[in-house]
Amino acid sequence: MPITTCVFDAYGTLFDVAAAARQAAAEPGFEKLQQKWPELANHWRLKQLQYTWLRAITGAHADFWDVTQDGLDWALEASGLDGDAALRQRLLDLYWQLQAYPEVPQMLADLKAGGLQTAILSNGSLPMLDGAVQSAGIGDVLDDVLSVESVGVFKPHSSVYDLVQKRFGGERDDVLFVSSNGWDAAGASGYGFVTAWVNRANEPIDRLPWKPAHVLYDLTTISQLAGL
Amino acid sequence: MPITTCVFDAYGTLFDVAAAARQAAAEPGFEKLQQKWPELANHWRLKQLQYTWLRAITGAHADFWDVTQDGLDWALEASGLDGDAALRQRLLDLYWQLQAYPEVPQMLADLKAGGLQTAILSNGSLPMLDGAVQSAGIGDVLDDVLSVESVGVFKPHSSVYDLVQKRFGGERDDVLFVSSNGWDAAGASGYGFVTAWVNRANEPIDRLPWKPAHVLYDLTTISQLAGL
């Protein structure tokens, strides 16, 4: 089947989640981040994801914004940076205006020009995602933004991936699902999407029972994978 | 209600999961582990746990021994140690004979002498757990070893914690549940057990919706918490 719909994970895939810590480290007043921002960004992301999985298993769903703050609070304490309310607030503010990776706007424009449907499918809540989409200026080249909030459970639960067919119809293998999170690409493969794992960090492939159909290092070849 | 039953997580709580990598690093032939064993042990544990959570969410259960090997394979590749079949096999062999923390045998003996029921409740399969229990010589001071294999889903799914009452009866708050994994202690608190988090690594507390009743740094005060 030809690909009709290209669906993208948001955080880490279109938007650079490390940008908040990296950018704050370059700002006056936050010099103490200069050495610690990579560790902080890594812990922040790790705990944010762990908390989504643990909440999915226990049925204790919460808005991704709450989970993002929970992960940051753990990470700040682990790096000895807790207690600085201005730093915490600045990092949270920056999370609403994360930089898109440089190839993103043209890649999405090419897909739309080629007649494909495009969407985001994310753990994020719609207000967070709208903030990031507006900040990156990619609203015009996305047909929709789909959030787990409408099903009340986080990825990789199958009811999240169900949202794509509910919105766009078609078959599972009409969909090219793109994620920089290996576990998300794996989960979507298990669900039945054609998947691409964007391995930006050059990490080992996850040893899960499903493998991504494609492994990329950035998003520049997505339109080829979509058949354009 | 008084505590009638003390239930322990196994890996990280009674048994030192870093011991396999640390011990192999001290053996002839594995000198390349001397610098890398802490990173390897950390990645191994991180991926092992991630894979249990992702499998719990997607309903793709597997034996913990398979997941343990999957985590090790990711970790070996991440540390540039893949391709050494002898090293891989040695690490896996050592996982079946992990050292117990030094205070464990006396602590369990005290609980039994005090008339309490004692058990392990673990993600591990029974053969793995039996190997570790025998290696540590603590079989005589445990009433039972309960494995997630009998319910086919990993922690912190509630059906795992259900195994305790199915075996021992009583109420949830008759149980003192002890884990060095913050997320496991949190999940068990949410379930209704009285919990103790053994924070051996002095980590920040997890920002989950449930908190452990007690925070300890080793197991020496467990009999006090159990009312002895």
Side-chain angles (χ1 to χ4, degrees):
Chain A
M1 297 287 290
I3 298 296
T4 60
T5 308
C6 292
V7 178
F8 297 85
D9 171 60
Y11 297 106
T13 303
L14 299 181
F15 307 116
D16 181 1
V17 284
R22 187 175 60 239
Q23 192 172 330
E27 295 180 356
F30 303 132
E31 288 77 9
K32 57 187 170 184
L33 264 191
Q34 285 172 8
Q35 297 297 318
K36 289 183 171 179
W37 76 261
E39 175 190 275
L40 180 76
N42 182 44
H43 280 152
W44 187 1
R45 180 64 172 163
L46 201 68
K47 283 292 168 178
Q48 180 196 46
L49 288 176
Q50 287 186 3
Y51 295 162
T52 63
W53 298 329
L54 292 162
R55 285 176 173 275
I57 295 167
T58 55
H61 187 70
D63 188 297
F64 193 60
W65 183 235
D66 292 332
V67 177
T68 298
Q69 294 179 72
D70 290 340
L72 176 59
D73 287 333
W74 192 99
L76 286 170
E77 186 180 339
S79 294
L81 296 167
D82 49 323
D84 183 339
L87 173 61
R88 181 182 188 275
Q89 191 57 52
R90 182 63 185 144
L91 289 165
L92 291 176
D93 289 346
L94 285 167
Y95 209 88
W96 287 70
Q97 41 187 288
L98 293 173
Q99 297 161 11
Y101 287 102
E103 71 272 25
V104 166
Q106 187 63 51
M107 180 271 300
L108 290 172
D110 290 347
L111 293 175
K112 284 310 303 168
L116 287 144
Q117 302 177 108
T118 59
I120 282 173
L121 178 67
S122 169
N123 276 339
S125 61
L126 284 180
M128 291 177 73
L129 293 166
D130 286 345
V133 165
Q134 283 182 27
S135 173
I138 55 174
D140 291 345
V141 283
L142 286 167
D143 289 307
D144 213 340
V145 176
L146 306 174
S147 163
V148 302
E149 285 309 305
S150 59
V151 290
V153 66
F154 290 113
K155 293 181 185 178
H157 195 282
S158 62
S159 61
V160 177
Y161 301 125
D162 284 341
L163 289 170
V164 174
Q165 276 175 293
K166 282 185 188 155
R167 169 63 179 78
F168 292 105
E171 302 299 322
R172 293 185 184 191
D173 60 359
D174 298 341
V175 174
L176 177 65
F177 181 81
V178 183
S179 181
S180 66
N181 296 292
W183 56 271
D184 186 20
S189 287
Y191 179 81
F193 290 154
V194 180
T195 58
W197 174 37
V198 187
N199 185 11
R200 294 190 189 274
N202 200 23
E203 293 202 327
I205 196 163
D206 269 314
R207 270 63 172 187
L208 288 166
W210 325 278
K211 293 284 174 274
H214 307 281
V215 181
L216 316 173
Y217 294 89
D218 59 37
L219 295 166
T220 53
T221 56
I222 291 293
S223 59
Q224 287 173 256
L225 294 185
L228 299 184
Chain B
M1 296 287 289
I3 298 297
T4 61
T5 310
C6 293
V7 178
F8 297 86
D9 171 59
Y11 296 107
T13 302
L14 299 181
F15 307 116
D16 181 1
V17 285
R22 187 175 59 239
Q23 193 171 330
E27 295 179 356
F30 303 132
E31 288 77 9
K32 58 188 170 185
L33 264 190
Q34 285 174 7
Q35 296 299 317
K36 289 182 172 178
W37 76 262
E39 175 191 274
L40 180 77
N42 182 44
H43 280 152
W44 187 1
R45 180 65 172 162
L46 201 68
K47 282 291 168 177
Q48 180 196 46
L49 289 176
Q50 285 186 3
Y51 295 162
T52 63
W53 298 329
L54 292 163
R55 285 175 173 277
I57 296 167
T58 55
H61 186 70
D63 188 299
F64 194 58
W65 182 237
D66 292 332
V67 176
T68 298
Q69 294 180 73
D70 290 340
L72 176 59
D73 287 333
W74 192 99
L76 286 170
E77 185 179 339
S79 293
L81 296 166
D82 49 323
D84 184 338
L87 172 61
R88 180 182 188 276
Q89 191 57 53
R90 182 63 185 144
L91 290 164
L92 291 175
D93 289 346
L94 285 167
Y95 208 89
W96 287 69
Q97 42 187 287
L98 293 174
Q99 298 163 11
Y101 287 102
E103 70 272 25
V104 167
Q106 188 62 51
M107 181 271 300
L108 290 172
D110 290 346
L111 293 175
K112 284 310 303 166
L116 287 144
Q117 303 177 108
T118 58
I120 283 174
L121 178 67
S122 169
N123 276 338
S125 61
L126 284 179
M128 292 178 73
L129 292 166
D130 286 345
V133 165
Q134 283 183 28
S135 173
I138 55 175
D140 290 346
V141 282
L142 286 168
D143 290 307
D144 212 340
V145 176
L146 306 173
S147 162
V148 301
E149 284 309 305
S150 59
V151 290
V153 67
F154 290 114
K155 294 180 185 176
H157 196 282
S158 62
S159 60
V160 177
Y161 301 125
D162 284 342
L163 290 170
V164 175
Q165 275 175 294
K166 283 184 186 155
R167 168 63 178 79
F168 292 104
E171 301 300 322
R172 293 185 183 190
D173 60 0
D174 298 341
V175 175
L176 176 65
F177 180 82
V178 183
S179 180
S180 66
N181 296 293
W183 57 271
D184 187 18
S189 287
Y191 178 82
F193 290 154
V194 180
T195 59
W197 173 39
V198 188
N199 185 12
R200 294 191 189 272
N202 201 22
E203 292 202 326
I205 196 163
D206 269 314
R207 270 63 174 187
L208 288 165
W210 325 280
K211 294 284 174 275
H214 307 283
V215 180
L216 315 174
Y217 294 89
D218 59 38
L219 295 166
T220 53
T221 56
I222 290 294
S223 59
Q224 286 173 256
L225 294 187
L228 298 184

